[in-house]
Amino acid sequence: MDRVLKKRIGKIVTWFLTFVLMLIISVPGLWVVLTAFRPNREVLAKPAIWIPQDPGWTNFAKIFGFGAEQIAIPVPAYFANSLIIASTSTVIALLIGMSGGYAFARYRFKFKNKIFLGLMLSRTVPGIALSLPIFIIWSRLGLIDAKLGLIIVYVALNVPFTIWLIDGFFRQIPKEMSEAAQVDGCTRWQAFWHIEFPLAKSGIASAGIFAFLTSWNEYALASNLTRSTDSKTLPVGLMDFTAQFTIDWAGMSAMAVIIIIPALILTFLVQKHLIAGLTFGGVKG
Amino acid sequence: MTQADVASTANIRPRRRRRRNLTPFLLLSPAILVILFVVLLPLLFSFYTSFTGYRLIKPETLYQWVGFQNYQRIFADKNFWAAFGRTVLFLTIALNLEFLLGLGIALLINRITWGQRALRTMMMFPMMFSPILVGYQFKFIFNDNIGILNNALQALGLSEGAIPWLVDKYLAMFSILFAEIWMSTSVFAILLLAGLFAMPRDPLEAARVDGCNPWQVFRHITLPFLMPFAFIAMTIRSLDVARAYDIVDVMTGGGPAGRTELLWTLIARVGYDNARMGQANAMAYISILLSIAFTYYFFTKLIAARKYMGGAD
Amino acid sequence: MAAIRIRDVVKNYGKLEVVHGINLDIAHNEFVVLVGPSGCGKSTTLRMIAGLEDITGGEIFIGDRVVNDLPPRKRDISMVFQNYALYPHMTVRENLGFGLKIAKLAKPVIEERVNEAAAILGIDELMERTPAELSGGQRQRVAMGRAIVRHPQVFLFDEPLSNLDAKLRVQMRTEIKRLHQTVRTTIVYVTHDQVEAMTLADRIVVMKDGYIEQVGSPLEVFEHPVNTFVATFIGSPPMNMIAGRIVKKDGHFHIAFQADQTVPVAADLARTVTEGQEVIFGFRADDLMPDEHAMPIPGASSRLRLKVDIAEPLGTETILFCNFAGKDIQAKMLNPRPVPPGEVMDFSLAIDKAHLFDAASGHNLRN
Ligand SMILES: Nc1ncnc2c1ncn2[C@@H]1O[C@H](COP(=O)(O)OP(=O)(O)O)[C@@H](O)[C@H]1O
Ligand SMILES: [Mg+2]
């Protein structure tokens, strides 16, 4: 009797805590999403209006330049910039990361641990600290306010972590797999493409998505290396709203939703592989 | 097989062996080149500029050697030390709380059987948010005038006036910490949960048979097993602690009046707004050393923990 | 012709030398088993033949080509790995056909060869499954199938049975032997299990610490071990080994053990021993027979009366654990009867079949 009661109380406590946790995680985001569908005057109303009175897509229409009201912020251009910069840098980082990750997973060589540590430490340099010299050098090279400038930086930003993840995924594939293929008549290169790559594919994809999101979300460097619609990305563009005198909360929220949505979808796709990659690469060395 | 053939194969051998040893370096060279060009070279350059009086608006000052003057100046600067202290404090509180909360959340979710996968996926969302969005989101929520928090407190009658969440010195720091912890706790929760899943059952059962109570089992079996996972999380986190810059920049911009200034926002202000690149680079160097120290510390911990877990070479 | 010649082959891992200049000739179509304790360099040797490890020094010939610098794919070999290394993302059919596809053979040819291999191994039913859907024994067969479809000159096996349970291991052992008779190629087979080595091999190569200790047919190795290591490693139960010293008694050499027990030296060894020499006396359990068998012992014999400590009945025979000269030894009894602990029995020891090893070098004095 006592035990049963104890168990039941434990269960209730567990569920209650979980509920609170989920509330804390989801309410801020949901509130932003809700705001994105409300007119700004409703957001600013005092006393607060809790239930949306007339929800609609006006904020989104406004941002994308449809509808009656126009705003001065060129979100479609930012969106295109973000997309081009994030995808290009991701593809390049993946190629470099696959090659490097394979080297770490499959070869023994001198200074292996030191090189690995060096790559990781390069990632620790705070974006803002790195942005100062890059700003100076890039302006001499004409890479300021250019997509290429940001792409190069993002590749470097993503390479270490991509290598960490991909190294982990390749390590999960027994070495004998590639050896068997070589005995079966493959060159090492063929063995890689026929055997190891297909087996690591989903892991590599999630490393790619992770890299994409890092670029997609980056702010510290982008805010200092971009100037105009030529290269400004969405996170930088979001700050355009705050620069104005009165903050357009509703419009900003709509833009936030645009930034969030790819992140949500992609996270959903990779979560399983990502955890596996992180833990394997780390724990099994 | 003739003598000549034997001789020729003997000649090939050293060449082939050398190529084999080069392969990994060849594979790594793109990665190393990119890092050299985008990280190391700029860092060397910024190291140089930290000894000059370089100002963005006066290009000729790039060659104006001032020795340790920038460093002397920032070491004598109260604002700098305040920001430095605040940053260390911020990191210590954030990382510890994230670890503890993450551990709690992992243990909690581990107990749940129904809907566990969905919970896990949800847990990952904050981690994938752009820090700038997290900042914006909490700027909106903590807004003293129209923020949902103050609105709710007022509607429930818990507070009369508007609480200045982002203006008051302590409240602003709290708000920023809250945003940071909201964003990053899931890194710990996710990895510790993975650790719990990977945990073998036998030692737990053996400990229970040996007469340990649940707390002792947790303290002596579960926690040591989880530590490598905690260190992975710490290492990953320490790689990008500076993401907090984005949050602070949106939420308070380091203000009001420098009350939430962290090392990173200070660097941005000195470098870009005041255009004193030399001095900003000197500060940047200190922030880099701080980050490297954090990462290196956790990385060595991770390697040590890994060894005792029976990891590879 | 796919004879394999190994000449002074050395292997280093960094500074550590793990194979120390071994020499071995393997004839065309011969079934050779490398056997030895774990870590003695068997896999390393096999992998050097396969081309999966660089050869630090010396030369390996397959046919009349030096293969030192050839990658695995050019050596015309195939290999069965300990963990099978089946490609998890391919069906059994694709696994079998993969090597042929890489070799760009025509589709119908691939089809035909794959079916032929499947028929030999009896895996026709499994062709559309993936490795995850197979049992251990089935995976083993597929791995062997993958090796035979390519009609290579040499098969290499690295402990292929060690992941199977005891019963399946015996069954697959027979199948491998049958396979050798069907496909007739040179086979190099690595195992740490001496029973496997004895049952499969045309010739056994006994290795230890990166050296080859002895090469010979199973019977040669069993009956004429060159040293104490081979003597104890090959055969089950292991050969009884007792340290002693040569003494002269009544004009004949004897081996004196602790507690003044002695056994005469076999006549053929009388010339090789010297008085006072430290030796190790070795004999197999089969050569220490209870007198109650009433079976004639070939050659000279010596009578011993021993107390049985423990008896292990195995069905057709019973292993008796006794103490002789302070050392635990084993004898074999063929009479099916229970033996209570402590029973004292009379034995005859076949002196002419026993071995004498030099205590210092471990060499068999008879060779
Ligand atoms: N990749 C390696 N690096 C260093 N030493 C190795 C490596 N592979 C094997 N060794 C060492 O070489 C010796 C022989 O190994 P191996 O050939 O695998 O033995 P086995 O006879 O059990 O197959 C062992 O002592 C092993 O520790
Ligand atoms: Mg082995």
Side-chain angles (χ1 to χ4, degrees):
Chain A
M1 179 61 210
D2 204 23
R3 257 183 92 122
V4 173
L5 195 68
K6 236 182 179 170
K7 243 189 178 154
R8 182 163 300 170
I9 290 176
K11 225 170 193 170
I12 291 171
V13 169
T14 306
W15 276 106
F16 177 73
L17 288 177
T18 311
F19 179 73
V20 170
L21 177 69
M22 289 304 130
L23 221 57
I24 294 175
I25 291 177
S26 54
V27 162
L30 287 178
W31 188 244
V32 170
V33 173
L34 199 66
T35 307
F37 291 94
R38 311 169 76 178
N40 207 31
R41 66 188 140 69
E42 210 177 289
V43 178
L44 295 174
K46 270 286 172 184
I49 302 171
W50 292 98
I51 317 286
Q53 306 289 306
D54 79 86
W57 294 89
T58 17
N59 293 321
F60 293 95
K62 219 160 61 174
I63 286 183
F64 281 106
F66 309 121
E69 269 184 275
Q70 294 288 324
I71 55 165
I73 299 166
V75 177
Y78 295 164
F79 190 88
N81 289 341
S82 268
L83 203 61
I84 292 169
I85 292 171
S87 1
T88 315
S89 64
T90 299
V91 171
I92 300 174
L94 267 192
L95 290 176
I96 296 179
M98 263 188 334
S99 140
Y102 188 80
F104 279 117
R106 285 288 188 259
Y107 291 89
R108 306 161 152 259
F109 48 92
K110 271 197 174 145
F111 310 122
K112 186 168 167 176
N113 279 335
K114 294 215 170 65
I115 295 176
F116 191 78
L117 185 63
L119 286 176
M120 288 305 143
L121 286 182
S122 81
R123 183 67 177 76
T124 65
V125 178
I128 193 70
L130 190 60
S131 80
L132 302 170
I134 289 187
F135 180 86
I136 302 168
I137 297 175
W138 264 213
S139 42
R140 307 239 154 159
L141 298 175
L143 288 172
I144 292 290
D145 198 20
K147 293 188 195 69
L148 179 65
L150 218 47
I151 288 173
I152 296 174
V153 174
Y154 286 169
V155 168
L157 213 59
N158 279 320
V159 156
F161 209 59
T162 311
I163 286 184
W164 162 309
L165 284 175
I166 292 182
D167 169 45
F169 290 119
F170 279 134
R171 253 170 230 253
Q172 289 174 56
I173 303 167
K175 209 170 154 196
E176 285 82 19
M177 227 49 104
S178 154
E179 290 176 348
Q182 287 177 60
V183 170
D184 259 353
C186 290
T187 60
R188 192 141 189 174
W189 179 248
Q190 282 175 317
F192 176 79
W193 283 110
H194 285 289
I195 309 298
E196 288 166 306
F197 180 72
L199 291 176
K201 210 164 46 187
S202 51
I204 292 170
S206 47
I209 288 177
F210 203 75
F212 180 88
L213 286 178
T214 307
S215 310
W216 181 262
N217 290 336
E218 207 280 336
Y219 171 75
L221 283 152
S223 63
N224 293 312
L225 300 180
T226 61
R227 287 273 170 280
S228 69
T229 47
D230 285 348
S231 66
K232 262 185 163 180
T233 56
L234 284 170
V236 185
L238 188 69
M239 292 300 267
D240 283 4
F241 285 95
T242 59
Q244 294 170 344
F245 232 139
T246 53
I247 296 181
D248 176 7
W249 293 104
M252 220 167 152
S253 294
M255 187 152 166
V257 169
I258 293 169
I259 304 178
I260 293 175
I261 283 174
L264 287 194
I265 296 174
L266 293 176
T267 308
F268 189 73
L269 290 180
V270 291
Q271 37 117 0
K272 209 175 84 197
H273 298 297
L274 197 61
I275 299 169
L278 290 177
T279 48
F280 199 88
V283 177
K284 298 274 166 60
Chain B
M1 167 121 336
T2 64
Q3 281 288 287
D5 285 340
V6 175
S8 71
T9 50
N11 285 341
I12 296 170
R13 202 168 316 138
R15 206 186 321 146
R16 197 177 128 78
R17 180 142 340 115
R18 204 172 314 135
R19 207 188 61 202
R20 258 204 192 184
N21 291 340
L22 273 182
T23 316
F25 294 105
L26 221 62
L27 288 171
L28 273 172
S29 57
I32 292 173
L33 282 179
V34 166
I35 299 292
L36 283 186
F37 180 62
V38 183
V39 182
L40 201 65
L41 182 73
L43 284 188
L44 288 176
F45 179 66
S46 78
F47 190 62
Y48 164 75
T49 46
S50 72
F51 292 100
T52 68
Y54 187 42
R55 281 159 175 272
L56 266 185
I57 28 180
K58 294 192 207 146
E60 71 279 2
T61 51
L62 182 53
Y63 309 103
Q64 178 197 346
W65 184 262
V66 297
F68 283 96
Q69 199 183 321
N70 285 322
Y71 288 94
Q72 278 163 357
R73 194 169 295 163
I74 58 176
F75 283 143
D77 180 1
K78 246 193 242 116
N79 284 336
F80 171 78
W81 284 115
F84 183 86
R86 215 176 274 129
T87 308
V88 173
L89 189 68
F90 175 85
L91 287 182
T92 312
I93 295 178
L95 286 176
N96 279 305
L97 276 181
E98 283 164 18
F99 170 63
L100 287 178
L101 287 172
L103 183 61
I105 293 171
L107 291 171
L108 186 68
I109 294 188
N110 194 36
R111 290 181 55 142
I112 291 176
T113 42
W114 188 82
Q116 195 189 49
R117 279 170 89 93
L119 287 177
R120 256 169 74 189
T121 308
M122 249 182 102
M123 282 294 319
M124 282 196 88
F125 286 148
M127 189 172 134
M128 296 300 189
F129 266 47
S130 172
I132 200 83
L133 280 184
V134 176
Y136 163 68
Q137 173 181 298
F138 284 103
K139 183 192 180 85
F140 185 32
I141 283 168
F142 285 122
N143 185 289
D144 49 2
N145 193 20
I146 53 122
I148 180 177
L149 187 59
N150 272 350
N151 278 347
L153 288 177
Q154 282 161 11
L156 295 173
L158 292 174
S159 123
E160 312 251 300
I163 301 173
W165 290 107
L166 296 174
V167 181
D168 178 81
K169 184 175 168 184
Y170 296 108
L171 287 179
M173 222 38 218
F174 165 82
S175 306
I176 288 167
L177 262 173
F178 189 91
E180 168 65 29
I181 291 170
W182 184 89
M183 176 171 75
S184 302
T185 297
S186 49
V187 177
F188 286 90
I190 296 285
L191 283 164
L192 291 172
L193 191 59
L196 284 173
F197 286 161
M199 173 127 203
R201 301 221 59 84
D202 307 4
L204 290 179
E205 286 166 1
R208 279 229 291 280
V209 172
D210 283 348
C212 290
N213 62 34
W215 164 249
Q216 288 167 325
V217 171
F218 175 77
R219 172 73 192 70
H220 296 288
I221 313 288
T222 313
L223 201 57
F225 183 83
L226 286 182
M227 279 330 272
F229 292 88
F231 288 130
I232 301 174
M234 289 276 185
T235 310
I236 292 173
R237 276 291 291 128
S238 59
L239 290 182
D240 58 10
V241 281
R243 289 207 302 182
Y245 163 77
D246 305 12
I247 295 183
V248 179
D249 200 37
V250 184
M251 286 178 76
T252 64
R259 282 175 217 156
T260 54
E261 193 87 280
L262 297 183
L263 210 42
W264 308 300
T265 52
L266 187 64
I267 293 169
R269 191 175 326 288
V270 173
Y272 293 108
D273 298 352
N274 307 347
R276 303 164 80 94
M277 274 290 177
Q279 201 182 333
N281 273 319
M283 289 181 186
Y285 248 85
I286 292 166
S287 81
I288 290 168
L289 291 181
L290 188 68
S291 284
I292 288 183
F294 263 88
T295 310
Y296 188 79
Y297 174 72
F298 291 126
F299 197 78
T300 47
K301 284 266 198 189
L302 172 60
I303 302 252
R306 213 160 74 168
K307 280 224 177 80
Y308 114 95
M309 294 261 301
D313 42 303
Chain C
M1 290 292 281
I4 300 173
R5 275 184 293 159
I6 297 175
R7 288 285 169 270
D8 302 317
V9 164
V10 173
K11 174 68 191 176
N12 281 43
Y13 284 114
K15 289 200 175 57
L16 183 74
E17 189 173 295
V18 297
V19 173
H20 317 283
I22 58 171
N23 284 287
L24 183 63
D25 282 291
I26 298 169
H28 181 55
N29 288 356
E30 193 177 20
F31 196 135
V32 163
V33 176
L34 305 184
V35 67
S38 183
C40 70
K42 311 175 295 280
S43 296
T44 305
T45 306
L46 193 76
R47 291 166 57 84
M48 285 192 287
I49 299 175
L52 296 170
E53 297 284 353
D54 281 334
I55 299 163
T56 311
E59 263 159 0
I60 294 182
F61 295 77
I62 296 179
D64 8 272
R65 287 187 304 170
V66 176
V67 295
N68 282 37
D69 299 315
L70 292 181
R73 75 196 137 90
K74 296 204 175 138
R75 296 192 181 194
D76 202 5
I77 47 159
S78 55
M79 181 156 170
V80 176
F81 292 82
Q82 183 168 355
N83 301 312
Y84 318 133
L86 300 179
Y87 311 128
H89 57 308
M90 300 182 188
T91 62
V92 169
R93 182 180 298 286
E94 287 163 342
N95 261 287
L96 294 183
F98 179 70
L100 305 176
K101 200 176 103 189
I102 290 295
K104 298 211 168 61
L105 262 58
K107 276 238 171 70
V109 182
I110 298 181
E111 186 80 1
E112 188 191 333
R113 288 233 221 144
V114 166
N115 289 338
E116 173 200 45
I120 292 177
L121 292 161
I123 49 174
D124 320 58
E125 314 274 288
L126 312 172
M127 297 304 275
E128 308 313 324
R129 297 202 201 165
T130 58
E133 300 164 325
L134 302 177
S135 70
Q138 291 169 332
R139 283 180 205 180
Q140 175 67 65
R141 283 203 184 83
V142 176
M144 273 160 44
R146 194 171 63 183
I148 64 177
V149 283
R150 293 183 39 245
H151 299 179
Q153 295 203 51
V154 179
F155 279 150
L156 305 173
F157 289 82
D158 192 354
E159 312 233 4
L161 304 183
S162 56
N163 283 345
L164 301 178
D165 61 52
K167 203 169 154 198
L168 208 49
R169 193 148 58 208
V170 174
Q171 186 190 335
M172 290 308 295
R173 208 162 71 195
T174 334
E175 283 196 31
I176 291 177
K177 190 142 197 178
R178 192 171 304 135
L179 185 72
H180 183 230
Q181 261 130 38
T182 330
V183 299
R184 294 248 59 110
T185 33
T186 312
I187 293 186
V188 186
Y189 185 108
V190 161
T191 179
H192 64 268
D193 178 356
Q194 58 90 22
V195 179
E196 237 169 70
M198 294 291 284
T199 47
L200 285 172
D202 293 333
R203 268 194 315 152
I204 290 181
V205 178
V206 185
M207 292 185 68
K208 184 195 168 200
D209 297 341
Y211 291 100
I212 291 180
E213 298 288 318
Q214 186 171 7
V215 182
S217 72
L219 277 184
E220 270 166 17
V221 174
F222 185 78
E223 292 189 339
H224 305 293
V226 293
N227 56 27
T228 49
F229 171 75
V230 178
T232 43
F233 190 78
I234 300 287
S236 170
M239 189 183 278
N240 298 305
M241 307 292 258
I242 309 164
R245 175 198 301 263
I246 301 292
V247 295
K248 208 156 194 173
K249 213 162 80 180
D250 319 327
H252 293 286
F253 285 118
H254 285 253
I255 311 147
F257 304 106
Q258 265 180 26
D260 292 335
Q261 271 167 306
T262 59
V263 166
V265 171
D268 62 328
L269 286 172
R271 288 171 182 279
T272 41
V273 297
T274 53
E275 196 173 353
Q277 188 179 5
E278 300 284 346
V279 292
I280 291 170
F281 180 65
F283 59 93
R284 298 208 180 269
D286 316 60
D287 298 326
L288 182 64
M289 293 276 204
D291 286 349
E292 66 185 58
H293 283 172
M295 285 206 298
I297 301 246
S301 68
S302 173
R303 307 290 303 275
L304 296 173
R305 170 165 290 191
L306 299 170
K307 193 176 82 180
V308 177
D309 292 330
I310 294 172
E312 272 185 1
L314 298 174
T316 52
E317 61 198 36
T318 301
I319 306 293
L320 305 174
F321 290 78
C322 313
N323 191 292
F324 175 69
K327 185 110 173 120
D328 285 324
I329 60 166
Q330 298 168 39
K332 207 177 261 182
M333 181 178 82
L334 300 177
N335 284 350
R337 72 162 175 95
V339 181
E343 183 178 323
V344 175
M345 293 171 70
D346 287 317
F347 293 89
S348 292
L349 177 61
I351 297 293
D352 286 347
K353 295 184 79 181
H355 301 273
L356 213 48
F357 303 92
D358 181 63
S361 68
H363 288 315
N364 194 332
L365 293 176
R366 190 170 272 135
N367 297 354

